[in-house]
Amino acid sequence: MIDARGLSRIPLRHATFIACLLLLAISLIGLAFSLMWLWGVVIFGLLSALGVHDVRQRRRTVSRNYPVLAHLRYILESIGPEIRQYFIQSDLDARPFSREQRAVVYQRAKNESDKKPFGSLLDMYQPGHEWINHSLRPSTIDSHDFRVQVGGSRCRKPYSTSVFNISAMSFGSLSANAIEALNAGACKGGFYHDTGEGSISRYHRKHGGDLVWEIGSGYFGCRNDDGTFNEARFEANACDEQVKMIEIKLSQGAKPGHGGILPGAKVTAEIAEARGVPMGEDVVSPAAHTAFSTPLELMHFIARLRELSEGKPVGFKLAVGHPWEWFAIVKAMLETGERPDFIVVDGGEGGTGAAPLEFINRLGVPLTEALTLVHNTLVGAGLRDEIRIGAAGKIMSGFHIARTIALGADWCNAGRGFMFSLGCIQALSCHTDKCPSGVATQDPKRGQHLDVADKSERVYHYHRNTLRALAEMLAAAGLGHTSELGPEHIIRRVSENEIQSYDQLFTFLKPNELLTGNGHHTVFEHYWENARSDSFLPPSRIAQLRFTKLE
């Protein structure tokens, strides 16, 4: 028997394990008199076995120190995000989207009233608060279907795009039913659906919605067996009537400069068909393109894709990083006379199915600064009238669209906003293949429960009702179209007792200012003059290489 002195030597942290053993013993004794004790034998037997395993294993120190009890901690830790999201966070805690932001998407997607009672929950005296000023002479806007014409002088098939579209999300990241619902909603609403770099799947084609085909460094849908670019395969897809524009992905806001590997186990027959890769084999997406390596080569690649696609608009998407690389691209435009028809600026706050924490939090320029740099450079180089700008990065409401266009964009894209319209509950499990709403998963048992007919209507309603809200804001501001928005219309509180409009807060270049040498913005003074159209290398590295060659 264990005496009192022996019991005193048992650590208190083992109390739960010891209690399970004692209750198991009592249940075994009781079982001799009644079968009702069988439940106790089963439950406490399993818990005791778990405790024995905890004490004997060596991988988890916490489990060895707190047998049985440690698993309660693991359970609570695993559901911590859900507990915080549903019971602790306020309506305004944006991690990454607030309950209020998600609720307005759900309401608009369901075609329910999005009106709020009593007044704003926002602290309007908090630095960073933004708003749009209204006019004493409100306007009347007959249609909320704001359009932007995309396609320069070299484009034979320009495209009229909505000011609000579905951002790049690949089949493979999203389920088949999610892709179908997005495309069907886009078809009904007259806006485009970006394929993402996973290329065009059978689910993109099923409902006939307008597509922007994104081509990444893996050249999915237009690649040779070794992963290099294949012109014939590109032409076959690009000339499809459903494809309206071609978008070269240079980088992505959530993980710029990052390649990836799709494990062979995830390369199903459908994914292999869409991407043009062998089924069941690992697929590598390199960090950099192989079809071009300099800004000049990028311009030639754009021209070639436009030719192969029978004159459709061709542009690129980038997350702004080193400013000299962006300046080098603009200088290549000036030197070659070739231009992209559009540029999509992806902010560092953009979403992703999976990326390292450092990339999500600390790599890439946020949308505000990235967009103003791209817009300013094109204006200063005299190119802005020829090139349209799209923008993406946590855009989901009418005000988000208005402020982004005021900064220099022509239209906006959204990914997570449209995911919410499909029923995404922000479970933050996109990378686990266990999405509870069937949106971001390749598990057919989960994805098949997403009803395409119902969710496509929600996609359509979310788009329509968001643009209606935008139209109401513009009318209240005395404007008639998104093209009339300027930096003077958006106001930001910079301190408790100071506000500034965007045209006061940001520096905006005048047309051709960079060509005349009159630009005095800090980033241009440091990098514009030394950027080279024939290299992405930093100016200091180019100078070093030149000096080495001379020696």
Side-chain angles (χ1 to χ4, degrees):
M1 293 185 64
I2 302 176
D3 57 17
R5 190 182 308 173
L7 287 172
S8 67
R9 289 198 295 267
I10 297 175
L12 184 61
R13 62 180 182 271
H14 286 187
T16 303
F17 177 36
I18 298 301
C20 290
L21 292 173
L22 290 174
L23 290 169
L24 173 62
I26 293 171
S27 298
L28 287 170
I29 293 171
L31 187 61
F33 301 96
S34 173
L35 289 176
M36 290 182 61
W37 287 93
L38 182 61
W39 64 269
V41 173
V42 173
I43 293 174
F44 296 115
L46 291 174
L47 289 175
S48 298
L50 179 63
V52 172
H53 173 268
D54 288 342
V55 172
R56 293 175 61 87
Q57 59 84 35
R58 296 181 176 276
R59 292 189 61 189
R60 294 182 173 182
T61 305
V62 174
S63 295
R64 295 187 75 188
N65 282 327
Y66 296 87
V68 181
L69 186 61
H71 292 275
L72 177 61
R73 175 194 178 278
Y74 299 144
I75 292 171
L76 293 175
E77 182 182 44
S78 68
I79 63 173
E82 287 78 9
I83 292 174
R84 289 191 294 273
Q85 182 178 146
Y86 297 129
F87 302 110
I88 299 175
Q89 289 179 357
S90 76
D91 286 346
L92 302 180
D93 286 340
R95 300 288 186 273
F97 290 95
S98 70
R99 193 192 307 272
E100 184 181 68
Q101 289 172 325
R102 299 196 306 273
V104 75
V105 177
Y106 297 147
Q107 289 162 347
R108 289 175 177 171
K110 294 176 184 178
N111 216 20
E112 298 174 351
S113 173
D114 60 357
K115 304 301 185 287
K116 300 292 181 183
F118 213 67
S120 177
L121 297 177
L122 299 175
D123 182 356
M124 297 187 181
Y125 294 91
Q126 182 73 23
H129 177 70
E130 295 181 334
W131 66 91
I132 181 170
N133 275 344
H134 70 284
S135 172
L136 295 178
R137 298 184 62 188
S139 63
T140 300
I141 298 178
D142 297 326
S143 173
H144 60 270
D145 185 24
F146 305 114
R147 314 296 296 186
V148 177
Q149 189 81 353
V150 185
S153 58
R154 297 162 183 78
C155 179
R156 302 195 303 274
K157 295 182 178 180
Y159 176 62
S160 177
T161 179
S162 169
V163 297
F164 191 42
N165 304 283
I166 301 171
S167 197
M169 295 182 287
S170 301
F171 169 58
S173 295
L174 300 192
S175 68
N177 284 26
I179 293 293
E180 271 198 57
L182 288 172
N183 195 258
C187 183
K188 184 173 182 179
F191 53 101
Y192 77 64
H193 179 192
D194 192 313
T195 65
E197 66 176 313
S199 193
I200 309 169
S201 70
R202 64 178 70 174
Y203 304 106
H204 287 97
R205 301 183 190 275
K206 190 170 182 179
H207 299 279
D210 289 354
L211 295 177
V212 170
W213 181 19
E214 182 180 270
I215 298 173
S217 57
Y219 304 114
F220 298 125
C222 57
R223 59 186 267 142
N224 295 307
D225 293 341
D226 62 357
T228 55
F229 178 70
N230 183 297
E231 287 194 353
R233 292 175 180 172
F234 170 82
E235 188 173 9
N237 270 328
C239 293
D240 188 312
E241 183 60 30
Q242 194 178 349
V243 175
K244 303 301 181 182
M245 300 198 295
I246 312 298
E247 178 183 278
I248 304 166
K249 175 190 166 185
L250 300 184
S251 53
Q252 174 184 343
K255 48 183 179 183
H258 191 277
I261 297 178
L262 184 64
K266 293 186 177 182
V267 183
T268 63
E270 293 170 327
I271 290 178
E273 174 190 63
R275 301 193 179 199
V277 297
M279 178 182 170
E281 294 184 15
D282 292 350
V283 181
V284 177
S285 295
H289 279 262
T290 56
F292 56 87
S293 59
T294 69
L296 291 174
E297 290 177 359
L298 171 59
M299 291 302 109
H300 297 316
F301 188 59
I302 289 172
R304 183 59 179 155
L305 296 192
R306 191 183 292 113
E307 179 184 347
L308 292 170
S309 63
E310 299 180 343
K312 293 181 179 180
V314 177
F316 58 82
K317 178 177 81 173
L318 86 162
V320 174
H322 298 310
W324 59 80
E325 295 180 348
W326 160 241
F327 294 160
I329 293 174
V330 176
K331 286 194 170 182
M333 298 179 198
L334 294 171
E335 288 187 22
T336 61
E338 185 57 63
R339 288 95 167 90
D341 296 291
F342 66 93
I343 297 170
V344 174
V345 181
D346 209 16
E349 61 270 54
T352 180
L357 183 66
E358 292 84 354
F359 278 72
I360 290 176
N361 288 342
R362 304 295 180 183
L363 205 64
V365 178
L367 180 59
T368 296
E369 289 73 21
L371 176 57
T372 52
L373 180 65
V374 170
H375 172 69
N376 263 332
T377 309
L378 294 178
V379 170
L383 298 171
R384 185 62 181 88
D385 291 340
E386 303 178 55
I387 301 172
R388 298 287 177 260
I389 298 178
K394 293 192 78 170
I395 296 171
M396 61 192 310
S397 71
F399 178 73
H400 289 155
I401 297 172
R403 74 174 293 275
T404 305
I405 291 176
L407 280 169
D410 292 299
W411 79 82
C412 298
N413 293 338
R416 287 166 291 181
F418 280 101
M419 287 175 66
F420 289 138
S421 75
L422 290 172
C424 167
I425 61 172
Q426 194 171 279
L428 306 182
S429 58
C430 310
H431 61 302
T432 66
D433 212 27
K434 297 180 179 179
C435 171
S437 56
V439 176
T441 179
Q442 285 302 295
D443 182 347
K445 294 180 181 179
R446 292 174 180 266
Q448 69 185 3
H449 292 298
L450 189 152
D451 187 270
V452 173
D454 176 66
K455 301 306 183 185
S456 63
E457 285 295 307
R458 294 192 183 191
V459 170
Y460 163 70
H461 287 310
Y462 167 56
H463 177 269
R464 183 189 61 175
N465 290 327
T466 299
L467 289 190
R468 281 181 173 176
L470 173 63
E472 290 177 356
M473 290 192 76
L474 294 179
L479 304 175
H481 193 275
T482 54
S483 60
E484 298 175 23
L485 278 164
E488 68 276 9
H489 292 114
I490 309 296
I491 314 299
R492 177 185 293 176
R493 180 172 294 283
V494 294
S495 70
E496 195 171 303
N497 56 5
E498 183 183 5
I499 63 173
Q500 289 184 333
S501 61
Y502 275 6
D503 62 339
Q504 297 171 312
L505 196 58
F506 300 102
T507 300
F508 289 93
L509 269 60
K510 298 176 182 178
N512 300 310
E513 196 169 345
L514 289 174
L515 304 183
T516 59
N518 295 324
H520 296 293
H521 192 286
T522 302
V523 69
F524 294 105
E525 291 178 349
H526 277 82
Y527 302 115
W528 173 256
E529 286 299 325
N530 293 320
R532 291 276 301 270
S533 63
D534 60 351
S535 177
F536 284 115
L537 291 174
S540 58
R541 179 63 176 153
I542 293 174
Q544 182 183 1
L545 290 174
R546 187 184 303 150
F547 180 75
T548 303
K549 288 180 181 179
L550 288 174
E551 285 189 329

